[in-house]
């Protein structure tokens, strides 16, 4: 049997590579049948036995190659099939079946030429598996067994690198050592990584230097400088480029953006913007109260910027304290005790500000604290007169004549001027006008007769006001005074002190006994001695008092009864009478 030979012509154009030609051959054991009859192989004309012998296979190929993305206007030539039986007389036909047969690839039945009818894209389909047949044109019988072969699409550099995960965002601490890894960027290339360098990528930094670098092979972005300061610049915009073909001429490229944010570390101590502060405080400010605010500036963030303050030393120990406002990080200067301009008119404090947390790496640069002097000036205010007692207790007999001295009150001006005091009675507390007061000395006297049985105690309010002396008009009125004439000043009524005086009226025996109600008793003329004639209608105490005034012995007996613990109240007491005929 004649051999069937397949001739394949390959033209391979490889990017940046020399042309190649691949042709593989193989041998198989085939069953051969000798012809029978006259002229047989053995010359006897009898039947020939079947036998196996090793012979060369007629198909000579393993795979075809075709370039992707062919830009020609004609179908791209792939290769050629040929058989030894084909004498050029048109008795042999060639046929294809399998992937893309007759749609992507066509074959000329007469010549065996294979063409690609459209542009191929290796990234969509990298290979096609087809079957080849050689048939007799008349009988359409196979002249050789069907053989399978592969057409591989040869890659060209038609895909640029792409960053599928970009853009990137990364964070790195400020002051990080040079070479600190920030982020790894990765680009992919859809070209064939197993052939050539079309998918071999190198990285470079288009923007971001000299602060950062990128490893050309791994895409790792690192810091290039050791002293990146967040307070100077807290964000960097980098552009990383990926190029295929190992970056050679003609390479395709892609880029991605990388945003690097510097995170804060405690590399800055708090600093006062000035060396001293001065504040004025009214002496009337009630304690406790915030009287001033100071602030040490720390450009760090969060916990790294938290500041605590303390008074190192100064005037008036225990008078002031500094707290931290958690929202503003200000130092709140708090007054703990009341101020008195006349005792101390100014205070000088030395205040320290420091971070709550520190980073040992930066302590060598110097102390993480700052100091400032705070001067507090107490403002003098016109203070109301102050009495020596908050409540004054006095007593006077109810039979005291008008003009009797009950007692006195005393107030003083706490200001340095120590103005004289003028006293008066608040008439709303003494509507009846029972008392008068000496405006200069504060002596209280009765102005009307008092009656304990009408009012046991009088609650009167004494008012003390400063008296302003004549003063030079050019220098203006003293504190708390107002101009009423050319050189005369009167006190300001709003600046007044007061004290409550409780005057108790002491009892004297100034009332005769009297019956609570009129009582009559009827006595029969024949009543006997010792018989009950009538009963006392009132309390026993009244009868006892009455009997005391009439008969001392009866009063003593009743007092003894009252001292015995017997209950007091309304009772009946027999009245013994005697009848005379």
């Amino acid at each position: 049997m004649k051999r069937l030979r397949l001739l394949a012509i390959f033209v391979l154009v490889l990017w940046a590579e020399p042309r190649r030609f691949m042709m593989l051959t193989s041998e198989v054991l085939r069953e051969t049948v000798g012809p029978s009859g006259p002229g047989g192989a053995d010359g006897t004309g009898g039947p020939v036995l079947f036998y196996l012998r090793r012979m060369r296979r007629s198909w000579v190929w393993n795979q075809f190659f075709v370039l992707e993305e062919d830009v020609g206007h004609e179908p791209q030539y792939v290769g050629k099939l040929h058989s030894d039986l084909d004498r050029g007389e048109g008795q042999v036909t060639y046929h294809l079946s399998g992937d893309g047969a007759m749609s992507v690839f066509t074959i000329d039945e007469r010549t065996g030429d294979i063409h690609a009818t459209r542009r191929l894209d290796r990234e969509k389909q990298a290979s096609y598996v087809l079957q080849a047949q050689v048939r007799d044109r008349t009988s359409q019988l196979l002249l050789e067994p069907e053989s399978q072969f592969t057409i591989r699409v040869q890659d060209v550099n038609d895909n640029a690198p792409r960053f599928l995960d970009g853009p990137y965002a990364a964070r790195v601490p400020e002051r990080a050592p040079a070479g600190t890894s920030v982020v790894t960027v990765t680009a992919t290339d859809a070209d064939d990584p197993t052939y050539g360098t079309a998918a071999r990528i190198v990285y470079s930094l288009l923007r971001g230097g000299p602060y950062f670098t990128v490893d050309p092979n791994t895409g790792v972005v690192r810091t290039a400088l050791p002293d990146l300061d967040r307070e100077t610049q807290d964000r960097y915009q980098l552009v990383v480029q990926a190029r295929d073909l190992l970056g050679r001429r003609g390479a395709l490229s892609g880029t991605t953006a990388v945003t690097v944010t510097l995170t804060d570390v405690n590399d800055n101590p708090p600093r006062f913007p000035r060396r001293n502060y001065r504040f004025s405080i009214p002496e009337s400010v009630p304690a406790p109260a915030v009287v001033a605010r100071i602030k040490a500036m720390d450009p760090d963030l969060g916990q790294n910027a938290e500041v605590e303050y303390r008074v190192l030393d100064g005037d008036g120990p225990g008078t002031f304290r500094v707290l931290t406002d958690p929202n503003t990080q200000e130092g709140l200067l708090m007054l703990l005790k009341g101020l008195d301009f006349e005792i101390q008119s100014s205070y000088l404090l030395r205040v320290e500000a420091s971070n709550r947390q520190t980073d040992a790496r930066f302590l060598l640069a110097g102390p993480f604290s700052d100091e400032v002097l705070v001067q507090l000036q107490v403002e003098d205010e016109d203070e109301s007169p102050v009495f020596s007692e908050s409540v004054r207790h006095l007593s006077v007999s109810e039979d005291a004549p008008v003009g009797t001295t009950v007692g006195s009150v005393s107030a003083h001006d706490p200001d340095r001027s120590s103005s004289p005091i003028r006293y008066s009675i608040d008439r709303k507390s003494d509507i009846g006008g029972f008392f008068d007061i000496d405006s200069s000395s504060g002596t209280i006297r009765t102005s009307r007769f008092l009656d304990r049985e009408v009012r046991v105690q009088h609650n009167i309010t004494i008012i003390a006001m400063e008296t302003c002396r004549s003063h030079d008009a050019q220098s203006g009125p003293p504190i708390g005074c107002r101009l009423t004439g050319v050189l005369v000043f009167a006190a300001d009524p709003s600046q007044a002190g007061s004290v409550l005086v409780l005057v108790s009226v002491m009892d004297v025996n100034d009332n005769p006994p009297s019956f609570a109600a009129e009582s009559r008793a009827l006595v029969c003329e024949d009543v006997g001695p010792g018989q009950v004639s009538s009963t006392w209608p009132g309390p026993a105490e009244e009868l006892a008092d009455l009997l005391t005034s009439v008969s001392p012995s009866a009063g003593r007996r009743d007092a003894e009864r009252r001292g015995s613990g017997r209950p007091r109240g309304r009772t009946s007491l027999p009245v013994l009478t005697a009848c005379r005929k």
Side-chain angles (χ1 to χ4, degrees), residues 209-231:
Y211 309 104
F212 298 90
T213 62
V214 62
D215 189 290
N217 298 316
T218 63
V220 177
V221 178
R222 303 179 185 274
T223 58
L225 299 178
D227 295 323
L228 296 179
D229 188 6
R230 186 199 64 81
E231 289 72 33

Side-chain angles (χ1 to χ4, degrees), residues 132-266:
Q133 298 175 350
V134 179
R135 294 178 179 270
D136 181 81
R137 175 178 292 276
T138 303
S139 66
Q140 291 297 309
L141 295 177
L142 289 174
L143 300 179
E144 280 288 340
E146 182 180 82
S147 294
Q148 180 174 288
F149 66 97
T150 302
I151 298 178
R152 297 191 180 277
V153 182
Q154 185 65 46
D155 185 41
V156 297
N157 189 22
D158 59 341
N159 290 278
R162 297 177 59 195
F163 292 91
L164 301 180
D165 297 327
Y168 294 83
R171 301 165 67 89
V172 65
E174 63 173 331
R175 308 286 185 182
T180 300
S181 176
V182 178
V183 66
T184 299
V185 297
T186 303
T188 60
D189 194 314
D191 291 325
D192 189 355
T194 64
Y195 178 77
T197 59
R200 299 281 298 277
I201 297 174
V202 293
Y203 300 91
S204 61
L205 197 63
L206 297 184
R207 188 171 70 184
Y211 309 104
F212 298 90
T213 62
V214 62
D215 189 290
N217 298 316
T218 63
V220 177
V221 178
R222 303 179 185 274
T223 58
L225 299 178
D227 295 323
L228 296 179
D229 188 6
R230 186 199 64 81
E231 289 72 33
T232 302
Q233 183 175 347
D234 63 347
R235 183 171 297 179
Y236 294 84
Q237 296 290 341
L238 284 61
V239 176
V240 179
Q241 182 187 63
R243 303 184 67 196
D244 57 16
L245 293 180
L246 293 175
R248 298 171 185 167
R249 183 179 179 182
L252 302 178
S253 64
T255 59
T256 187
V258 180
T259 301
V260 179
T261 302
L262 299 184
T263 58
D264 187 57
V265 299
N266 193 7

Side-chain angles (χ1 to χ4, degrees), residues 114-400:
I114 302 174
H115 290 82
T117 60
R118 63 185 184 187
R119 294 175 62 180
L120 303 178
D121 189 349
R122 189 201 65 84
E123 286 70 42
K124 292 182 178 179
Q125 185 167 349
S127 62
Y128 297 82
V129 178
L130 297 98
Q131 292 78 36
Q133 298 175 350
V134 179
R135 294 178 179 270
D136 181 81
R137 175 178 292 276
T138 303
S139 66
Q140 291 297 309
L141 295 177
L142 289 174
L143 300 179
E144 280 288 340
E146 182 180 82
S147 294
Q148 180 174 288
F149 66 97
T150 302
I151 298 178
R152 297 191 180 277
V153 182
Q154 185 65 46
D155 185 41
V156 297
N157 189 22
D158 59 341
N159 290 278
R162 297 177 59 195
F163 292 91
L164 301 180
D165 297 327
Y168 294 83
R171 301 165 67 89
V172 65
E174 63 173 331
R175 308 286 185 182
T180 300
S181 176
V182 178
V183 66
T184 299
V185 297
T186 303
T188 60
D189 194 314
D191 291 325
D192 189 355
T194 64
Y195 178 77
T197 59
R200 299 281 298 277
I201 297 174
V202 293
Y203 300 91
S204 61
L205 197 63
L206 297 184
R207 188 171 70 184
Y211 309 104
F212 298 90
T213 62
V214 62
D215 189 290
N217 298 316
T218 63
V220 177
V221 178
R222 303 179 185 274
T223 58
L225 299 178
D227 295 323
L228 296 179
D229 188 6
R230 186 199 64 81
E231 289 72 33
T232 302
Q233 183 175 347
D234 63 347
R235 183 171 297 179
Y236 294 84
Q237 296 290 341
L238 284 61
V239 176
V240 179
Q241 182 187 63
R243 303 184 67 196
D244 57 16
L245 293 180
L246 293 175
R248 298 171 185 167
R249 183 179 179 182
L252 302 178
S253 64
T255 59
T256 187
V258 180
T259 301
V260 179
T261 302
L262 299 184
T263 58
D264 187 57
V265 299
N266 193 7
D267 58 339
N268 293 283
R271 289 285 182 262
F272 287 103
R274 48 198 297 187
R275 291 295 88 196
N276 57 77
Y277 292 88
R278 184 172 181 175
F279 300 98
S280 296
I281 309 172
E283 65 174 332
S284 60
V285 173
V290 175
V291 295
R293 290 174 176 260
I294 58 177
K295 186 173 184 179
M297 309 304 295
D298 191 328
D300 293 324
L301 298 177
Q303 294 182 347
N304 296 327
E306 292 182 354
V307 182
E308 58 182 6
Y309 301 85
R310 63 180 181 133
V311 177
L312 296 179
D313 53 53
D315 301 327
T319 305
F320 297 95
R321 182 185 178 189
V322 186
L323 303 177
T324 301
D325 187 325
N327 297 320
T328 64
Q329 295 301 311
E330 291 178 298
L332 308 180
L333 195 62
M334 178 167 288
L335 176 67
L336 302 180
K337 299 179 181 179
L339 299 175
D340 192 335
F341 176 83
E342 288 69 31
I343 297 177
Q344 186 166 350
S345 61
S346 66
Y347 296 84
L348 186 62
L349 307 176
R350 189 162 61 96
V351 179
E352 180 190 65
S354 60
N355 280 135
R356 295 181 184 273
Q357 300 179 3
T358 57
D359 192 326
R361 295 177 298 171
F362 307 105
L363 293 179
L364 297 178
F368 257 63
S369 62
D370 197 16
E371 297 179 5
V372 71
L373 291 177
V374 179
Q375 184 177 3
L376 302 168
Q377 190 70 36
V378 181
E379 295 180 349
D380 188 22
E381 292 186 342
D382 184 33
E383 299 178 73
S384 302
V386 178
F387 285 90
S388 57
E389 298 176 283
S390 59
V391 178
R392 185 86 164 95
H393 294 271
L394 300 175
S395 62
V396 63
S397 177
E398 67 175 329
D399 62 349

Side-chain angles (χ1 to χ4, degrees), residues 9 11 26 133 163 193 196 239 242 253 272 284 288 307 315 322 441 453 460 466 499 520 541 553 566:
I9 302 174
V11 179
S26 61
Q133 298 175 350
F163 292 91
V239 176
S253 64
F272 287 103
S284 60
V307 182
D315 301 327
V322 186
S441 65
E453 286 72 32
I460 61 175
E466 298 177 13
V499 67
R520 293 182 179 183
E541 291 81 355
S553 61
R566 294 176 58 186

